[in-house]
Amino acid sequence: MDVHDQFVPDDDFRAFLEAMPQVCVEVVLETDDGVLLAERNHEPRVWFWPGSRLYKGEELTAAARRVGREELGIEIDVGERLGVHAHFWDADRTPEGVSRHTVNIVYRASPAAPDAEIDLDDQHSDYRFVSRPDPDFHEYVWEYFAAYDLP
C-alpha cells in the first residue's frame, strides 16, 4: 500500500479528531546522556517524547524512523516496541481547539551515528536528555518512566 502523507485540510482534520482516536508513533531516544525530551512549540506546550501521527499505509517502524529524521534531524536505529498508551487532551490543550484522543505506539531507539547532532524541527524549541523525570513533567512522561526501564 502506498503511504498517504498528503496535507489534510484543517476542517477535515478537526472533524476526524472530534470523531475518532488518532494513531501516533513515539520515540524514546536513548543515549549515554539519558532519554531525549523535546519542548513543544504548539499545544500542549510541554516537554514530551518526539512523535507523530501514523500515515495511512505507513509501517510502524518506518514512522519511528521518520520521527527521527523530521523532528530530530537524525537517523535512528529503532529498537523494541515498548508498549501502547492512550493519551487524552482537553480542547484547550490542542492546536485545533478540540479534545484529542491518541493511541501512542512507543518505540525504544538510539542514534544511528554516535556523533549525531540533534537538529530540531519547527515544532520544538529545545531538547534535553534526562535520566529521571522532573516533578514538572507531564503525567504521560512520568507514565513512561514508571512503565519502562529507562535510564
Side-chain angles (χ1 to χ4, degrees), residues 15 18 31 33 50 54 73 92 110 145 149:
E18 288 176 339
T31 71
D33 297 322
L54 181 68
D92 64 342
S110 59
F145 270 95
D149 182 29

Side-chain angles (χ1 to χ4, degrees), residues 14-83:
R14 188 174 295 105
F16 169 83
L17 293 175
E18 288 176 339
M20 302 177 71
Q22 179 183 22
V23 178
C24 298
V25 173
E26 292 177 333
V27 171
V28 175
L29 185 77
E30 295 178 314
T31 71
D32 291 340
D33 297 322
V35 293
L36 182 140
L37 292 176
E39 187 174 30
R40 294 174 47 90
N41 282 332
H42 308 290
E43 292 296 338
R45 294 180 186 271
V46 294
W47 286 92
F48 215 71
W49 312 107
S52 176
R53 70 178 188 243
L54 181 68
Y55 296 143
K56 183 175 181 176
E58 187 176 34
E59 296 289 334
L60 295 172
T61 55
R65 285 190 297 277
R66 177 174 54 81
V67 167
R69 281 190 313 276
E70 292 180 358
E71 296 195 13
L72 305 176
I74 63 169
E75 295 297 324
I76 62 172
D77 291 329
V78 178
E80 70 178 307
R81 183 171 42 207
L82 293 174

Side-chain angles (χ1 to χ4, degrees), residues 83-109:
V84 179
H85 295 261
H87 295 174
F88 301 91
W89 304 97
D90 292 331
D92 64 342
R93 301 294 307 267
T94 70
E96 301 82 16
V98 297
S99 63
R100 185 181 283 201
H101 171 194
T102 60
V103 177
N104 306 72
I105 303 161
V106 183
Y107 283 93
R108 188 182 303 265

Side-chain angles (χ1 to χ4, degrees), residues 118-130:
I118 303 297
D119 181 21
L120 295 175
D121 65 358
D122 63 356
Q123 295 181 71
H124 301 96
S125 58
D126 201 4
Y127 71 93
R128 64 184 176 181
F129 289 94
V130 299

